[in-house]
């Protein structure tokens, strides 16, 4: 979701498994990882749809343009670093900022190597539907949220306003924020990104109020316009102590990481993955096909590749 985040970002369709926060698969070593010289690559795929879009396009190009065999393994955010360090996966294509893991594996152990900027900037925040923000313009300031808490009460929020989160497997600051900002709200987990999207779409269809933890880039903004609630400004280090967080989430340039051995010996595949860099618009185009239009990820990737040769051919040069 990510530097003390969720986001982030279980979707409606997965490449290799379904359900956000699915069982950790790091102990299931890929049959292709470290395959003794075989022309193969194993990619870690996170459970949010943007990360799936990265993997779908990378997999398609590796298989159809470079002749590799590609395996994908769904791994939760933090365990993905362990799997990458151990060589169970070769690459992680969308990390939202995990400074502890970066220090341990990149700086100290040197078992993971930076793979470069993905080209997409991620941001987590609290959002209300834009139709509600137009009705109550001051609702987008956190200092006014208690005034509107009754609007967001649900059967699950225990008489308080509901702040909707996604999967409990994600790391978020929301419980600390509610506590430290003295807000009359209860964090309620939908269970997965897919379940959260279903709830938001239903609320929007009925024009009901909702307050939700959400993140960009995300295709749903095109279907359900939302306006961010301004939390206290983010300052470097304000989220260092997870129990004392009282600031907004940062804007995070999303990064790629490679297993250190793969980065050195992975040949054209490693070189390609280091150069893989696209825009938020590119990612959302593929994500919309996968999640909203129910397109198979590899079909969505093929459509994107066919229509954007000017982008991906640079990754092969």
């Amino acid at each position: 979701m990510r530097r003390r985040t969720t986001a982030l970002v279980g979707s409606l369709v997965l490449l290799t498994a379904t359900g956000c926060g699915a069982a950790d698969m790091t102990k299931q070593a890929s049959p292709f990882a470290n395959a003794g010289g075989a022309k193969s690559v194993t990619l870690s795929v996170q459970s949010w749809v943007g990360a799936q879009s990265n993997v779908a396009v990378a997999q398609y190009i590796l298989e159809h343009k470079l002749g590799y065999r590609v395996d994908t393994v769904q791994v939760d955010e933090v365990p993905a670093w362990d799997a990458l360090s151990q060589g169970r996966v070769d690459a992680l294509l969308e990390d939202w900022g995990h400074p502890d893991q970066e220090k341990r594996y990149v700086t100290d152990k040197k078992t993971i190597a930076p793979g470069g900027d993905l080209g997409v900037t991620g941001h987590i925040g609290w959002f209300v539907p834009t139709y509600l923000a137009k009705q109550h313009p001051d609702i987008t300031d956190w200092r006014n949220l208690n005034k509107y808490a009754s609007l967001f009460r649900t059967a699950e929020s225990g008489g308080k306003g509901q702040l909707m989160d996604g999967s409990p497997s994600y790391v978020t600051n929301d419980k600390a924020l509610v506590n430290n900002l003295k807000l009359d709200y209860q964090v309620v987990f939908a269970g997965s990104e897919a379940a959260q999207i279903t709830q938001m779409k239903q609320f929007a269809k009925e024009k009901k109020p909702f307050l939700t933890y959400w993140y960009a880039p995300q295709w749903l903004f095109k279907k359900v316009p939302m306006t961010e609630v301004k939390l206290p400004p983010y300052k470097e280090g304000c989220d260092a102590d997870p129990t004392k967080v009282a600031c907004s989430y940062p804007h995070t340039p999303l990064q790629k990481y490679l297993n250190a051995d793969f980065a050195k010996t992975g040949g054209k595949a490693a070189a390609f993955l280091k150069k893989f860099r696209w825009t938020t618009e590119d990612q959302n185009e593929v994500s919309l096909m996968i999640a909203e239009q129910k397109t198979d990820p590899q079909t969505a990737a093929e459509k994107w590749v066919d229509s954007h040769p000017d982008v991906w051919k640079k990754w092969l040069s």
Side-chain angles (χ1 to χ4, degrees):
M1 156 183 134
R2 315 168 177 190
R3 180 191 312 239
R4 306 222 62 82
T5 69
T6 198
L8 285 169
V9 41
S11 84
L12 300 178
V13 180
L14 290 179
L15 297 178
T16 58
T18 43
C20 179
D24 174 29
M25 297 175 66
T26 57
K27 293 182 172 57
Q28 300 181 20
S30 162
F32 311 124
N34 298 322
K39 198 173 181 182
S40 61
V41 179
T42 303
L43 301 178
S44 171
V45 55
Q46 273 56 38
S47 58
W48 55 93
V49 69
Q52 295 166 33
S53 298
N54 304 326
V55 171
V57 170
Q59 178 179 0
Y60 184 86
I61 292 174
L62 283 165
E63 290 181 340
H64 295 274
K65 307 300 179 182
L66 294 176
Y68 282 80
R69 182 173 184 175
V70 178
D71 184 36
T72 61
V73 181
Q74 183 185 347
V75 193
D76 287 340
E77 290 179 77
V78 173
W81 283 80
D82 300 327
L84 190 61
S85 174
Q86 295 163 12
R88 291 175 175 166
V89 298
D90 296 314
L92 169 65
L93 300 185
E94 183 174 310
D95 182 75
W96 284 64
H98 289 85
D100 291 344
Q101 281 69 33
E102 185 177 356
K103 182 180 184 302
R104 180 181 302 125
Y105 294 124
V106 178
T107 305
D108 296 342
K109 293 188 174 183
K110 296 180 171 54
T111 53
I112 293 177
D117 195 329
L118 177 63
V120 176
T121 296
H123 176 59
I124 298 165
W126 292 1
F127 292 84
V128 294
T130 300
Y131 57 76
L132 183 64
K134 289 180 179 179
Q135 293 173 6
H136 306 285
D138 64 338
I139 205 171
T140 59
D141 186 326
W142 71 270
R143 289 167 291 194
N144 297 320
L145 285 177
N146 281 345
K147 172 182 171 183
Y148 293 102
S150 61
L151 286 180
F152 302 110
R153 288 176 186 159
T154 67
E156 293 78 21
S157 62
K160 298 183 177 183
Q162 174 177 285
L163 171 58
M164 189 193 318
D165 271 46
S167 168
S169 71
Y170 294 149
V171 181
T172 83
N173 298 331
D174 286 0
K175 289 185 178 180
L177 282 166
V178 167
N179 182 59
N180 296 328
L181 297 179
K182 296 178 171 55
L183 298 176
D184 189 26
Y185 284 78
Q186 176 71 37
V187 175
V188 177
F189 292 98
S192 69
E193 183 187 70
Q196 192 177 4
I197 287 172
T198 297
Q199 288 191 30
M200 284 191 282
K201 290 173 74 174
Q202 186 60 39
F203 279 130
K205 182 179 179 180
E206 299 173 5
K207 296 294 182 183
K208 289 183 176 180
F210 65 85
L211 173 67
T212 189
Y213 164 101
W214 204 230
Y215 40 90
Q218 228 292 338
W219 63 271
L220 187 66
F221 285 108
K222 294 181 179 293
K223 298 295 181 179
V224 181
M226 287 181 269
T227 301
E228 186 170 4
V229 174
K230 293 181 180 178
L231 295 170
Y234 177 84
K235 295 179 181 179
E236 190 67 34
C238 70
D239 55 356
D241 186 337
T243 66
K244 297 180 179 179
V245 178
C247 60
S248 61
Y249 293 89
H251 287 77
T252 305
L254 306 184
Q255 300 297 309
K256 300 168 293 172
Y257 290 93
L258 309 180
N259 172 271
D261 290 338
F262 173 74
K264 295 175 184 177
T265 64
K268 290 183 179 180
F272 156 68
L273 291 172
K274 290 175 185 176
K275 291 182 179 179
F276 184 107
R277 179 185 173 94
W278 62 351
T279 66
T280 296
E281 291 72 22
D282 290 325
Q283 189 188 82
N284 278 339
E285 183 178 339
V286 179
S287 296
L288 188 65
M289 284 190 277
I290 294 173
E292 179 69 4
Q293 299 170 12
K294 307 297 193 299
T295 305
D296 174 81
Q298 282 300 285
T299 301
E302 181 180 12
K303 289 181 178 180
W304 185 88
V305 167
D306 286 347
S307 58
H308 296 82
D310 56 322
V311 178
W312 62 263
K313 284 185 178 180
K314 296 176 182 177
W315 306 339
L316 303 181
S317 61

